[in-house]
Amino acid sequence: MESITERLRASVSLKITVIGILILVLLIPVAMIRDVVEDRVMVNRVAAADIMRGWGDTQVVAGPVLVVPGTVVREGINERRTVATRLNVLPDTLVIDATMDTELRARGIHEVPVYRSTIRISGTFRVPADIAAQHRVDNLDWDAGHIVLSVSDAPAIPVAPRIRIGDRELDFEPGGRRIDGLPPQIVAPLADTDGQPLAGREVPFEMVLSLNGGDSLQFLPLGGSTRVDVSSPWASPSFSGNQLPQSHDISDDGFSARWEVSQFARPLPSSWLDGEVALSTATPSAFGVDLYTGVGLYQQTLRATKYAVLFIGLTFVAWFLFETMGRLSLHPLQYLLIGFANALFYLLLLSFAEHLGFGPAYLLSTLASAGLVVGYSRAVLGGVRPAGMMAALLGALYGFLYLVLKSEDFAMLAGAAGLWVILGTIMYLTRHVDWYRPRGA
């Protein structure tokens, strides 16, 4: 009876089937490497969250909002009762000028971009003289009113801010009265204004807010007209949220951007009583800037593993062509070894990248993995020429993959074009091969 080894040597179809099975087997270590990369991604996220927990998280700033307590009369079927409420008034004009000084904070080998921001907020409250009548509210207690500023991570405020209302300066306090539906707030009591009613007046305000944060800084457009200017030395911003800037300038030295939005960008009236408006609808209108870090090394490594089948398959195809055309007889274990050498590239890439950065890690991993394959090819395929051709093939493949990983905008186009070229090359090289001819015949 003909042995399996003899049948492998004689049958091209059987050898191709075995090679296909080996490729599927090698997907197991590749999948395990992907799991390792995803575990490292989770470790990186935990480290980033830990850094921002101690420094400052993503920040959303909203306000200031004028809040004045009062009472309203509620009439029922058999009763008439007085209920406490609060009048909330948004600014007529709101101007925000923010500068962000950025840096990278590390926890072990993991880094996250953070910032120190100086936010200058100014504008005016225009309170109609008949605002109490408009809302049917009685006994507005201006002396018990507050200026409310919403800051999503208030503990990251390093210096207690003050706000100038008219000709008075007020100190902000933590906690206190809150506007339901907005992020956590700090408040400045209006008691220092001597209880002077603000109704019928146009009251200017201005303040400076120092704020630490990480990854993102956003604002809610609460003014009747809102203008926001943000500048930073960070060279790769990502403008996010419900509004894009009307103008921006990005260079190697940093960026600047300006948003100008009207009251129609906020799903809120200029004033309302507690319970009349669902403030949760206002949060999605936030806009601002994220400190974009590009495709990180973990994302790039994950993307690289998606091409593992291509690398292993083409290396096997090249070996099979050398075997078929050179009248060689290679064992499946030899194919398996070069497959493992290709799979090892991704683990080396991840290990080196965490310490050296993606570019140097990619070069070292390529030299290590391709060196194994080329050296083994020289010994097994019997000569410098086959090894040189394998070196050229692997150099082209790794160079192609690097360009695909770095070209974020054209990655799909480059990948599709590269696969087309590879398929065309294989078809051209094998155009005269008689696949029905017995091996060795």
Side-chain angles (χ1 to χ4, degrees):
M1 179 180 290
E2 188 178 17
S3 66
I4 296 179
T5 303
E6 292 172 345
R7 292 177 62 186
L8 277 174
R9 290 175 177 173
S11 174
V12 173
S13 298
L14 182 58
K15 192 60 176 281
I16 292 175
T17 301
V18 172
I19 291 174
I21 294 173
L22 291 177
I23 292 175
L24 294 178
V25 169
L26 287 166
L27 291 181
I28 297 175
V30 171
M32 295 173 66
I33 293 172
R34 286 181 62 88
D35 288 341
V36 172
V37 176
E38 290 173 353
D39 286 342
R40 300 301 291 175
V41 170
M42 291 303 300
V43 171
N44 181 69
R45 289 175 179 171
V46 170
D50 195 29
I51 292 171
M52 290 195 293
R53 189 181 305 113
W55 176 261
D57 210 333
T58 58
Q59 295 285 12
V60 179
V61 179
V65 181
L66 176 61
V67 179
V68 184
T71 58
V72 292
V73 176
R74 306 292 188 193
E75 295 187 1
I77 297 177
N78 298 316
E79 64 177 350
R80 177 186 175 94
R81 56 195 178 94
T82 301
V83 179
T85 187
R86 287 186 303 232
L87 174 67
N88 305 278
V89 182
L90 296 182
D92 183 60
T93 61
L94 180 61
V95 178
I96 299 174
D97 186 0
T99 57
M100 304 169 64
D101 293 325
T102 57
E103 62 179 284
L104 292 174
R105 287 291 176 106
R107 179 62 53 89
I109 61 175
H110 304 285
E111 292 183 332
V112 62
V114 298
Y115 58 82
R116 295 182 177 90
S117 65
T118 301
I119 305 172
R120 301 181 183 278
I121 304 174
S122 61
T124 56
F125 286 108
R126 182 177 284 116
V127 185
D130 61 346
I131 192 168
Q134 290 179 13
H135 293 280
R136 298 179 180 178
V137 60
D138 300 319
N139 304 319
L140 283 177
D141 189 354
W142 294 96
D143 192 56
H146 289 79
I147 298 294
V148 175
L149 183 69
S150 175
V151 180
S152 58
D153 188 15
I157 300 175
V159 179
R162 308 188 74 195
I163 184 169
R164 175 176 286 275
I165 297 290
D167 58 356
R168 297 288 187 123
E169 283 197 356
L170 311 177
D171 293 312
F172 277 98
E173 302 172 351
R177 297 181 185 273
R178 299 178 55 142
I179 304 175
D180 293 335
L182 290 183
Q185 298 135 40
I186 58 176
V187 298
L190 286 176
D192 291 341
T193 59
D194 299 327
Q196 297 177 4
L198 301 183
R201 299 168 55 190
E202 182 174 304
V203 184
F205 63 85
E206 60 179 344
M207 64 173 294
V208 177
L209 174 67
S210 296
L211 186 63
N212 296 336
D215 190 53
S216 176
L217 177 61
Q218 296 198 334
F219 303 92
L220 283 178
L222 295 187
S225 64
T226 302
R227 191 188 78 199
V228 177
D229 290 282
V230 180
S231 61
S232 171
W234 190 262
S236 54
S238 175
F239 303 117
S240 60
N242 200 44
Q243 298 282 338
L244 292 177
Q246 267 63 45
S247 61
H248 66 272
D249 179 52
I250 303 174
S251 67
D252 293 338
D253 297 325
F255 76 90
S256 61
R258 168 171 289 188
W259 290 261
E260 293 185 69
V261 295
S262 69
Q263 60 185 342
F264 300 106
R266 68 180 190 200
L268 298 173
S270 59
S271 61
W272 70 93
L273 297 181
D274 282 355
E276 291 182 343
V277 174
L279 287 177
S280 58
T281 61
T283 305
S285 64
F287 59 81
V289 62
D290 300 338
L291 301 181
Y292 182 63
T293 55
V295 179
L297 64 92
Y298 297 110
Q299 288 77 12
Q300 288 177 315
T301 304
L302 279 174
R303 284 173 53 187
T305 59
K306 296 178 181 179
Y307 292 84
V309 174
L310 174 66
F311 275 58
I312 295 171
L314 286 179
T315 305
F316 281 7
V317 167
W319 264 47
F320 178 72
L321 291 178
F322 282 126
E323 181 181 3
T324 301
M325 297 178 180
R327 304 296 191 269
L328 300 174
S329 182
L330 303 179
H331 195 276
L333 180 60
Q334 293 172 310
Y335 280 90
L336 198 61
L337 289 175
I338 63 167
F340 279 126
N342 278 325
L344 185 60
F345 164 80
Y346 304 102
L347 188 58
L348 291 172
L349 176 60
L350 174 63
S351 303
F352 287 138
E354 288 188 329
H355 299 278
L356 304 176
F358 189 79
Y362 192 93
L363 177 61
L364 286 177
S365 303
T366 298
L367 293 175
S369 180
L372 286 177
V373 175
V374 172
Y376 193 62
S377 298
R378 179 177 180 181
V380 173
L381 300 179
V384 175
R385 182 180 178 186
M389 295 177 68
M390 285 299 303
L393 171 64
L394 292 174
L397 283 176
Y398 283 111
F400 161 73
L401 178 59
Y402 187 78
L403 291 177
V404 169
L405 295 177
K406 286 298 183 180
S407 179
E408 298 178 30
D409 294 333
F410 299 97
M412 181 173 290
L413 177 60
L419 291 176
W420 182 87
V421 171
I422 290 169
L423 178 61
T425 302
I426 293 174
M427 294 172 68
Y428 177 80
L429 293 175
T430 60
R431 66 192 186 281
H432 297 309
V433 175
D434 182 4
W435 299 107
Y436 285 102
R437 181 187 64 187
R439 288 166 54 80

mmCIF file of all heavy atoms in Angstrom, residues 47 54 57 73 89 105 126 168 255 270 345 403:
data_model
loop_
_atom_site.group_PDB
_atom_site.id
_atom_site.type_symbol
_atom_site.label_atom_id
_atom_site.label_comp_id
_atom_site.label_asym_id
_atom_site.label_seq_id
_atom_site.Cartn_x
_atom_site.Cartn_y
_atom_site.Cartn_z
ATOM 1 N N ALA A 47 -4.764 51.897 32.765
ATOM 2 C CA ALA A 47 -3.707 52.832 33.145
ATOM 3 C C ALA A 47 -4.103 54.268 32.810
ATOM 4 O O ALA A 47 -3.883 55.195 33.601
ATOM 5 C CB ALA A 47 -2.398 52.464 32.448
ATOM 6 N N GLY A 54 -6.526 60.701 38.721
ATOM 7 C CA GLY A 54 -5.723 61.515 39.619
ATOM 8 C C GLY A 54 -5.428 62.902 39.090
ATOM 9 O O GLY A 54 -5.089 63.807 39.859
ATOM 10 N N ASP A 57 -10.397 64.131 34.377
ATOM 11 C CA ASP A 57 -11.003 63.317 33.329
ATOM 12 C C ASP A 57 -11.391 64.200 32.152
ATOM 13 O O ASP A 57 -11.087 65.395 32.110
ATOM 14 C CB ASP A 57 -12.227 62.603 33.898
ATOM 15 C CG ASP A 57 -12.479 61.267 33.226
ATOM 16 O OD1 ASP A 57 -12.093 61.108 32.059
ATOM 17 O OD2 ASP A 57 -13.063 60.381 33.886
ATOM 18 N N VAL A 73 -47.874 79.328 42.737
ATOM 19 C CA VAL A 73 -49.136 78.855 43.306
ATOM 20 C C VAL A 73 -49.681 77.756 42.410
ATOM 21 O O VAL A 73 -49.854 77.945 41.200
ATOM 22 C CB VAL A 73 -50.150 79.999 43.445
ATOM 23 C CG1 VAL A 73 -51.495 79.466 43.953
ATOM 24 C CG2 VAL A 73 -49.620 81.075 44.399
ATOM 25 N N VAL A 89 -31.996 81.126 34.382
ATOM 26 C CA VAL A 89 -31.824 82.090 33.296
ATOM 27 C C VAL A 89 -30.478 81.844 32.622
ATOM 28 O O VAL A 89 -29.432 81.801 33.297
ATOM 29 C CB VAL A 89 -31.893 83.541 33.810
ATOM 30 C CG1 VAL A 89 -31.768 84.518 32.644
ATOM 31 C CG2 VAL A 89 -33.191 83.775 34.579
ATOM 32 N N ARG A 105 1.306 62.069 30.240
ATOM 33 C CA ARG A 105 1.538 61.482 31.554
ATOM 34 C C ARG A 105 1.619 59.969 31.395
ATOM 35 O O ARG A 105 0.828 59.379 30.635
ATOM 36 C CB ARG A 105 0.424 61.850 32.524
ATOM 37 C CG ARG A 105 0.443 63.298 32.998
ATOM 38 C CD ARG A 105 1.643 63.544 33.899
ATOM 39 N NE ARG A 105 1.770 64.920 34.295
ATOM 40 C CZ ARG A 105 1.489 65.374 35.526
ATOM 41 N NH1 ARG A 105 1.040 64.545 36.447
ATOM 42 N NH2 ARG A 105 1.664 66.642 35.819
ATOM 43 N N ARG A 126 -29.221 89.149 30.311
ATOM 44 C CA ARG A 126 -30.234 90.162 30.057
ATOM 45 C C ARG A 126 -31.546 89.627 30.618
ATOM 46 O O ARG A 126 -32.176 88.749 30.015
ATOM 47 C CB ARG A 126 -30.356 90.478 28.567
ATOM 48 C CG ARG A 126 -31.388 91.572 28.268
ATOM 49 C CD ARG A 126 -31.462 91.926 26.794
ATOM 50 N NE ARG A 126 -30.323 92.748 26.399
ATOM 51 C CZ ARG A 126 -29.396 92.369 25.516
ATOM 52 N NH1 ARG A 126 -29.472 91.180 24.959
ATOM 53 N NH2 ARG A 126 -28.398 93.174 25.202
ATOM 54 N N ARG A 168 -19.429 93.417 41.226
ATOM 55 C CA ARG A 168 -19.153 92.590 42.390
ATOM 56 C C ARG A 168 -18.416 91.319 41.980
ATOM 57 O O ARG A 168 -18.628 90.785 40.893
ATOM 58 C CB ARG A 168 -20.454 92.186 43.093
ATOM 59 C CG ARG A 168 -21.253 93.354 43.647
ATOM 60 C CD ARG A 168 -20.592 93.960 44.860
ATOM 61 N NE ARG A 168 -21.416 94.976 45.495
ATOM 62 C CZ ARG A 168 -21.788 94.934 46.747
ATOM 63 N NH1 ARG A 168 -21.435 93.926 47.516
ATOM 64 N NH2 ARG A 168 -22.523 95.902 47.259
ATOM 65 N N PHE A 255 -2.746 74.156 17.276
ATOM 66 C CA PHE A 255 -3.982 74.453 16.561
ATOM 67 C C PHE A 255 -4.729 75.583 17.258
ATOM 68 O O PHE A 255 -4.500 75.890 18.435
ATOM 69 C CB PHE A 255 -4.885 73.218 16.494
ATOM 70 C CG PHE A 255 -5.605 72.913 17.780
ATOM 71 C CD1 PHE A 255 -6.866 73.443 18.049
ATOM 72 C CD2 PHE A 255 -5.024 72.101 18.745
ATOM 73 C CE1 PHE A 255 -7.517 73.174 19.238
ATOM 74 C CE2 PHE A 255 -5.673 71.823 19.938
ATOM 75 C CZ PHE A 255 -6.921 72.363 20.181
ATOM 76 N N SER A 270 -34.556 80.503 26.905
ATOM 77 C CA SER A 270 -33.654 81.423 27.598
ATOM 78 C C SER A 270 -33.880 81.417 29.100
ATOM 79 O O SER A 270 -32.980 81.760 29.876
ATOM 80 C CB SER A 270 -33.822 82.845 27.049
ATOM 81 O OG SER A 270 -35.170 83.278 27.221
ATOM 82 N N PHE A 345 6.154 37.104 14.352
ATOM 83 C CA PHE A 345 6.360 38.526 14.030
ATOM 84 C C PHE A 345 5.426 39.420 14.843
ATOM 85 O O PHE A 345 5.837 40.464 15.367
ATOM 86 C CB PHE A 345 6.134 38.748 12.528
ATOM 87 C CG PHE A 345 5.933 40.185 12.151
ATOM 88 C CD1 PHE A 345 7.012 41.045 12.023
ATOM 89 C CD2 PHE A 345 4.651 40.680 11.923
ATOM 90 C CE1 PHE A 345 6.820 42.383 11.685
ATOM 91 C CE2 PHE A 345 4.452 42.004 11.576
ATOM 92 C CZ PHE A 345 5.540 42.859 11.462
ATOM 93 N N LEU A 403 3.187 50.334 5.004
ATOM 94 C CA LEU A 403 2.533 51.459 4.328
ATOM 95 C C LEU A 403 1.030 51.435 4.557
ATOM 96 O O LEU A 403 0.400 52.476 4.755
ATOM 97 C CB LEU A 403 2.846 51.411 2.826
ATOM 98 C CG LEU A 403 4.298 51.696 2.429
ATOM 99 C CD1 LEU A 403 4.472 51.537 0.921
ATOM 100 C CD2 LEU A 403 4.726 53.087 2.868
#
